[in-house]
């Protein structure tokens, strides 16, 4: 018998729950064994993608990805050594309105996120200018609403880490 034609399979997929967990750990430097991260991972594991098929990705998966990204970023920013290893000389004790008013402060926050999460010279990735613009808008909104510098750093990190730049493969 002639085999039936099957629909074409997508060339892209998503990272599964374990892949996301380990990727976030590698990027932030926070071990998967960190108590807070581990508790969040166990709580949201069933919300994370179980298979790599992009057409099976659901809104609940994105919610789980976001929760895990927030926890990893908070653990990294709250640890002075890990924060310094990730962001270098970014001084989060400086008030957010002062720190992020200067382009150098924004660059110190956004450049490591682009380098570590988005990457460079990949076959498919978001444009740096688009990500930079989106993160800059996020920083503006947070600063305008009175967020402190650590909160701004956590939010920018979580927005990047929980995005399709890491989830889609």
């Amino acid at each position: 018998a002639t085999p039936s034609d099957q629909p074409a399979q997508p060339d892209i997929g998503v990272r599964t729950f374990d892949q996301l967990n380990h990727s976030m750990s590698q990027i932030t430097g926070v071990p998967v064994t960190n108590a807070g991260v581990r508790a969040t991972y166990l709580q949201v594991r069933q919300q994370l993608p179980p298979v790599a098929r992009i057409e099976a990705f659901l809104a609940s998966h994105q919610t789980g990805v976001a929760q895990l990204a927030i926890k990893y970023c908070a653990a990294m920013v709250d640890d002075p050594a890990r924060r310094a290893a990730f962001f270098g000389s970014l001084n989060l004790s400086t008030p957010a309105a002062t720190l992020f008013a200067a382009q150098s402060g924004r660059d110190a926050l956004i450049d490591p996120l682009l380098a570590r999460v988005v990457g460079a010279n990949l076959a498919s990735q978001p444009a740096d200018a688009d990500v930079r613009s989106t993160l800059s808008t996020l920083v503006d909104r947070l600063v305008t609403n009175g967020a402190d510098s650590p909160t701004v750093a956590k939010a920018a990190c979580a927005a990047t880490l929980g995005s399709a730049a890491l989830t889609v493969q």
Side-chain angles (χ1 to χ4, degrees):
T2 305
S4 62
D5 287 334
Q6 298 293 322
Q9 295 296 315
D11 292 335
I12 59 173
V14 294
R15 294 179 199 269
T16 63
F17 52 86
D18 283 333
Q19 291 171 327
L20 284 164
N21 191 38
H22 288 282
S23 294
M24 289 182 185
S25 175
Q26 284 292 116
I27 289 168
T28 61
V30 176
V32 295
T33 56
N34 173 285
V37 165
R38 179 90 177 126
T40 299
Y41 175 71
L42 292 174
Q43 182 181 5
V44 303
R45 185 174 185 265
Q46 290 185 356
Q47 282 181 260
L48 298 172
V51 296
R53 294 178 48 201
I54 198 157
E55 65 273 11
F57 193 78
L58 305 170
S60 62
H61 295 149
Q62 184 58 48
T63 301
V65 170
Q67 289 176 300
L68 191 59
I70 290 165
K71 186 52 104 175
Y72 268 105
C73 289
M76 184 263 293
V77 170
D78 290 342
D79 182 304
R82 287 193 174 91
R83 180 178 64 237
F86 192 94
F87 290 115
S89 62
L90 182 66
N91 183 357
L92 295 182
S93 64
T94 304
T98 303
L99 178 60
F100 301 117
Q103 188 61 44
S104 60
R106 286 174 188 260
D107 290 345
L109 174 69
I110 296 171
D111 288 349
L113 292 169
L114 290 173
R116 292 175 185 249
V117 180
V118 178
N121 301 318
L122 302 173
S124 177
Q125 69 191 62
D128 280 4
D130 292 340
V131 177
R132 185 177 297 280
S133 174
T134 300
L135 291 175
S136 189
T137 300
L138 174 63
V139 168
D140 288 342
R141 287 184 181 161
L142 291 168
V143 170
T144 298
N145 287 305
D148 62 8
S149 293
T151 301
V152 172
K154 290 173 189 178
C157 173
T160 311
L161 197 61
S163 73
L166 179 69
T167 307
V168 174
Q169 63 178 356

